[in-house]
Amino acid sequence: VYAVFRFFNGLAEKGYSLSAIKISLVLISGSLQRAALNGIIDKNPAASVQLPRVSPRKERRALSKEEQALFSEYSKESPLHAFFALLLRTGLRNGELRALHFSDIDYTLGMIHIRRTLKYYDGRGYFEDSPKTRSSIRDIPLTDDIIKNLPKQVFPSDGYVFCGNNGNPLGRDKIQSEMDKIVQRIQK
């Protein structure tokens, strides 16, 4: 019982959300219950585990119009200015914008079709996945301002809109590094 309790406390200490810990408890408890029913263990040690207290996550907030304007102004020197401009103008998630293909942009209908997100797992690398929620599959209207900030197509029509020199998707680290540089310039 102590090992199971320690495991869940460890998840809380690593910053996992309460919902992630609950899902883990259900999975582990179900497996251990099956082992108890099959006589492999005497009883399910996860049945008596109390979930640890999880400190609430820091609430995110949107940038004010003034903060957006300031960030946009300072990002003009960045090679990722267009990326940041579209993030601010569309409300897309980072992974959704990094997964955007030129074929997702429909100039005829005046829409950007959001159909995927880009994820990264150690050992697997970057891969495309379905968006975070069902409602994340959506269309974003193409405004003149958005069109102005879209990069010109360099790679084939199924290529990424925002990518490295080799056509591979932009990494999270590259985006974060550029954001950090912009924030440092703002704070000077």
Side-chain angles (χ1 to χ4, degrees):
V1 173
Y2 177 71
V4 176
F5 176 75
R6 205 171 73 215
F7 171 76
F8 288 108
N9 275 344
L11 291 179
E13 289 169 6
K14 289 179 182 174
Y16 283 87
S17 67
L18 184 57
S19 62
I21 294 171
K22 284 180 179 177
I23 291 169
S24 299
L25 178 60
V26 167
L27 293 172
I28 289 171
S29 184
S31 298
L32 292 172
Q33 185 63 34
R34 176 62 61 190
L37 289 172
N38 290 332
I40 299 170
I41 57 176
D42 291 331
K43 70 177 197 165
N44 178 357
S48 60
V49 168
Q50 288 186 322
L51 291 175
R53 293 188 187 268
V54 176
S55 22
R57 290 190 178 187
K58 186 177 179 183
E59 194 169 319
R60 293 183 184 189
R61 69 170 187 85
L63 295 177
S64 69
K65 286 184 178 183
E66 294 79 21
E67 290 169 327
Q68 288 181 36
L70 185 64
F71 185 88
S72 186
E73 183 62 34
Y74 276 83
S75 75
K76 286 180 180 174
E77 299 173 27
S78 169
L80 296 179
H81 173 69
F83 181 89
F84 296 130
L86 285 175
L87 277 180
L88 291 171
R89 286 164 178 79
T90 62
L92 291 174
R93 294 180 179 95
N94 184 325
E96 293 171 338
L97 190 53
R98 289 184 300 125
L100 191 68
H101 290 244
F102 280 103
S103 58
D104 296 325
I105 302 169
D106 187 336
Y107 289 98
T108 306
L109 292 177
M111 293 288 173
I112 299 175
H113 306 293
I114 306 305
R115 303 289 181 259
R116 67 189 76 77
T117 189
L118 197 65
K119 293 186 177 178
Y120 179 86
Y121 287 134
D122 287 332
R124 183 172 177 188
Y126 287 101
F127 65 97
E128 292 178 2
D129 198 7
S130 56
K132 195 171 183 177
T133 65
R134 192 177 308 158
S135 62
S136 296
I137 297 173
R138 62 201 185 281
D139 292 331
I140 307 287
L142 267 178
T143 64
D144 291 339
D145 197 39
I146 290 173
I147 292 170
K148 177 179 76 175
N149 282 290
L150 283 170
K152 302 298 177 244
Q153 186 170 343
V154 177
F155 293 95
S157 64
D158 62 346
Y160 291 105
V161 174
F162 296 99
C163 57
N165 294 335
N166 56 4
N168 289 334
L170 287 176
R172 293 176 305 190
D173 295 342
K174 174 71 174 163
I175 304 294
Q176 189 61 53
S177 170
E178 282 299 313
M179 286 176 64
D180 292 344
K181 289 176 189 174
I182 294 165
V183 170
Q184 285 176 351
R185 285 197 301 270
I186 290 171
Q187 292 174 339
K188 282 185 181 177

